[in-house]
Amino acid sequence: MALLSPSLLSADFYNLGKEIEQSIQCGADWLHIDVMDFHFVPQLSFGAKIVEDIKKHNPVFCDVHLMVTNPQDHIIPFAKAGADLINFHAEAAIHGDRLINLIKENGVLSGITINPATPVDTIKHYLPLVDMILVMSVNPGFSGQKCIEYTFNKIAELDIIRKEFGYTYTIQIDGGINSSNVKNVLKLGADIIVAGSGFFSLDNDKRKDFSDLIHNYQ
Ligand code: DX5
Ligand code: ZN
């Protein structure tokens, strides 16, 4: 079954606790935590405290997307805060294997992310090592951008490779996904759907419909 991971960047921060609880009631499986450093991407968001505070109230799976230039500096703080999965950008990683090992040694699931124009081939050596590959379908930095559809081919490519070699990673897609295009990515093999504006702009009934669409897709 595919899973829904709403991106908190599109939530109403004034009502964050309520937004999280309602998201879960509407079928969110994970929470997607977008960490931005104003360097790798042109925006600042939040640090590890957000995960620590969420976990004090709710055991929900926290899926941390590091959009930062120095991912090595953020892994231990997020692991200590209770992150369940930490993924970093291939474009930012100088010593990727070391980072994957550091994530695993801290008891956290590991992921690697590729920007829209980064080919799958760039990360081929990481494929047997990680728990998740995140395919960005927008250039990271903002919610509410239009999906770049040429990225969808990489979902299919990753799905074929994992079947061929018996790799166990899941495939996540992030950026501009909504109820109109989600079936296209599910069809190609996406397992984890991130949605920011495509989820938080909906009322609760429509959020439930969106999560049902993802959960019931065969
Ligand atoms: C983009 C972030 C995404 C974003 C998704 O930099 O990594 O997770 O918040 O938002 P939407 O779904 O609105 O593109
Ligand atoms: Zn993200």
Side-chain angles (χ1 to χ4, degrees):
M1 181 179 88
L3 303 179
L4 169 63
S5 188
S7 162
L8 286 190
L9 208 55
S10 291
D12 172 7
F13 287 5
Y14 188 68
N15 292 304
L16 193 56
K18 199 169 125 201
E19 289 273 63
I20 290 171
E21 280 167 21
Q22 281 183 353
S23 300
I24 295 167
Q25 278 162 18
C26 292
D29 302 284
W30 293 5
L31 295 178
H32 184 80
I33 316 284
D34 284 307
V35 180
M36 300 174 162
D37 67 349
F38 206 66
H39 193 266
F40 185 72
V41 290
Q43 222 194 152
L44 269 177
S45 60
F46 22 67
K49 185 171 184 291
I50 192 167
V51 173
E52 193 182 325
D53 287 0
I54 291 169
K55 290 286 185 175
K56 278 182 199 156
H57 298 275
N58 201 307
V60 61
F61 189 104
C62 287
D63 154 34
V64 174
H65 177 193
L66 294 179
M67 287 169 277
V68 300
T69 304
N70 296 307
Q72 67 278 3
D73 295 340
H74 298 270
I75 289 169
I76 290 177
F78 273 96
K80 282 192 175 151
D84 297 281
L85 186 150
I86 299 175
N87 85 67
F88 60 88
H89 272 256
E91 301 84 2
I94 300 170
H95 307 294
D97 292 277
R98 185 179 290 159
L99 299 188
I100 292 166
N101 289 337
L102 185 62
I103 295 170
K104 288 182 176 175
E105 281 159 18
N106 280 277
V108 180
L109 297 174
S110 62
I112 193 154
T113 305
I114 46 175
N115 275 336
T118 302
V120 167
D121 202 45
T122 311
I123 55 163
K124 73 174 180 188
H125 295 296
Y126 299 125
L127 299 181
L129 308 177
V130 291
D131 299 290
M132 191 185 82
I133 314 289
L134 166 51
V135 174
M136 287 305 298
S137 42
V138 296
N139 288 287
F142 304 93
S143 298
Q145 301 181 83
K146 190 175 177 307
C147 190
I148 300 172
E149 294 192 357
Y150 73 70
T151 60
F152 292 179
N153 289 338
K154 292 191 280 183
I155 301 173
E157 195 180 343
L158 284 162
D159 190 38
I160 290 167
I161 293 171
R162 70 178 162 182
K163 283 176 182 147
E164 189 177 342
F165 293 97
Y167 297 153
T168 54
Y169 56 76
T170 54
I171 304 169
Q172 184 176 68
I173 182 88
D174 178 12
I177 304 299
N178 53 44
S179 49
S180 312
N181 62 11
V182 69
K183 279 192 180 167
N184 300 340
V185 295
L186 290 166
K187 187 172 68 190
L188 295 170
D191 307 288
I192 320 286
I193 307 298
V194 176
S197 48
F199 179 81
F200 283 101
S201 65
L202 304 174
D203 64 29
N204 282 344
D205 286 343
K206 293 258 165 50
R207 288 178 184 181
K208 280 195 192 103
D209 292 344
F210 185 56
S211 68
D212 285 348
L213 189 64
I214 292 166
H215 293 149
N216 299 330
Y217 187 81
Q218 301 285 349

